[in-house]
Amino acid sequence: MVELIGHQDDLNCFQRWFSDETAKVIKENEKFYLTGTHLLGCTTAGEAIHRAEAKLELMTAAARLESASEALNVKTGPAVYVDPAGLYHYHEFVEAVTRSVVSVRCFDSCSPSLPQRAVAIADCDAHLDMALRLWGEDSRSWPRLFRIAEEITYSFEPDRTKHMSEVLLSENLIESREDILRFRYSACEPDVAGRDSRHANGSYKMSQELKNLQNPTMTHREAVALVGSVLSRAIRRKWEARSEGFTSH
């Protein structure tokens, strides 16, 4: 296992959210540790810390699915080996990496928690794994938001000729087709996204459907909220499908 270092309240949150055998946070002797089957087979302390950091990146990204403003920091410490006699041996051969996330506004009381479900789904879905890791980074630029939306779309529909709005609407991940149309246009238009726009001025034509809208564009704040909502819904939909699959068996 690998020790986790951070604020007591933040570590308590991680212990509450993550209890799956694959990757869980435990507290022993007033210290917190990341353990689980993902660390099985590690032969060196460096390998254990490397795996723990990769998993912690997903865990902290999952904690940003519903976020407020207060920063929450958790980082990996030394790898810990517990010998047959129960003695703890600490090994730290690589520099620990700090992962900054934000505190959760409100997670439902269901078990497993939303962050734990997100990590579990990411483990078996490459597109949502990428979407979640990108969401967990500090950058929320228009191109980054668009990439996350694309990864979510491809997770549900591998046929890349299908329109994003069509896929997300059919999967009930958005409230209306207009939301994605406004998002796509805003991300591509320099007059809205500025130097972060995906296209040069005039390269992305406004559709007639958008022209008919009272407000065809979307602010960056609205785009962040939209993409975060779509990602949360995608995690929930995938978890429901997975649970139904287990039940049918």
Side-chain angles (χ1 to χ4, degrees):
M1 56 188 179
V2 174
E3 184 180 356
L4 294 179
I5 301 171
H7 191 279
Q8 182 77 21
D9 291 341
D10 302 342
L11 292 166
N12 284 331
C13 286
F14 268 62
Q15 183 185 17
R16 186 171 72 252
W17 295 332
F18 300 104
S19 59
D20 185 74
E21 289 301 319
T22 302
K24 64 180 178 179
V25 176
I26 62 174
K27 183 179 182 181
E28 293 185 1
N29 302 321
E30 300 305 313
K31 291 185 176 182
F32 292 83
Y33 301 93
L34 175 59
T35 184
T37 56
H38 75 286
L39 292 176
L40 291 178
C42 292
T43 57
T44 67
E47 183 182 1
I49 294 176
H50 178 74
R51 289 194 193 181
E53 287 179 347
K55 186 64 67 174
L56 185 60
E57 181 182 25
L58 274 177
M59 294 163 70
T60 54
R64 298 191 73 174
L65 286 174
E66 298 182 51
S67 61
S69 58
E70 183 183 354
L72 178 152
N73 298 296
V74 175
K75 65 180 180 180
T76 55
V80 183
Y81 166 67
V82 183
D83 66 21
L87 298 177
Y88 284 56
H89 302 270
Y90 290 78
H91 304 275
E92 187 169 11
F93 296 148
V94 297
E95 183 179 356
V97 176
T98 300
R99 305 293 184 190
S100 296
V101 302
V102 293
S103 62
V104 168
R105 182 184 297 138
C106 180
F107 284 129
D108 56 46
S109 59
C110 294
S111 180
S113 66
L114 178 57
Q116 186 168 309
R117 293 182 223 172
V119 172
I121 293 301
D123 281 343
C124 57
D125 188 312
H127 288 298
L128 287 184
D129 177 278
M130 179 59 69
L132 194 61
R133 291 180 189 276
L134 293 173
W135 179 255
E137 295 180 355
D138 290 335
S139 173
R140 294 287 172 82
S141 66
W142 284 99
R144 182 60 53 87
L145 292 173
F146 199 91
R147 170 71 184 279
I148 294 171
E150 282 186 326
E151 293 289 352
I152 297 169
T153 302
Y154 298 152
S155 172
F156 287 86
E157 177 52 73
D159 183 356
R160 304 195 177 191
T161 64
K162 297 290 183 64
H163 291 292
M164 179 185 293
S165 58
E166 176 186 353
V167 175
L168 298 184
L169 187 60
S170 66
E171 295 293 340
N172 197 32
L173 300 181
I174 53 176
E175 296 295 334
S176 71
R177 173 178 153 85
E178 293 175 359
D179 289 338
I180 290 299
L181 293 179
R182 292 173 61 223
F183 168 70
R184 286 181 60 93
Y185 178 75
S186 299
C188 294
E189 176 54 51
D191 287 344
V192 180
R195 65 191 301 170
D196 279 340
S197 65
R198 298 179 66 245
H199 298 301
N201 189 38
S203 299
Y204 191 84
K205 302 298 183 183
M206 180 182 288
S207 65
Q208 187 59 49
E209 187 174 355
L210 272 174
K211 291 179 180 179
N212 293 334
L213 297 179
Q214 183 175 359
N215 181 15
T217 63
M218 177 176 286
T219 67
H220 182 259
R221 182 186 294 271
E222 289 175 323
V224 171
L226 174 66
V227 173
S229 172
V230 173
L231 181 55
S232 294
R233 288 190 180 194
I235 294 296
R236 290 186 171 96
R237 286 295 311 280
K238 291 284 184 173
W239 183 264
E240 291 169 0
R242 169 175 158 161
S243 299
E244 291 170 1
F246 286 153
T247 302
S248 66
H249 287 95

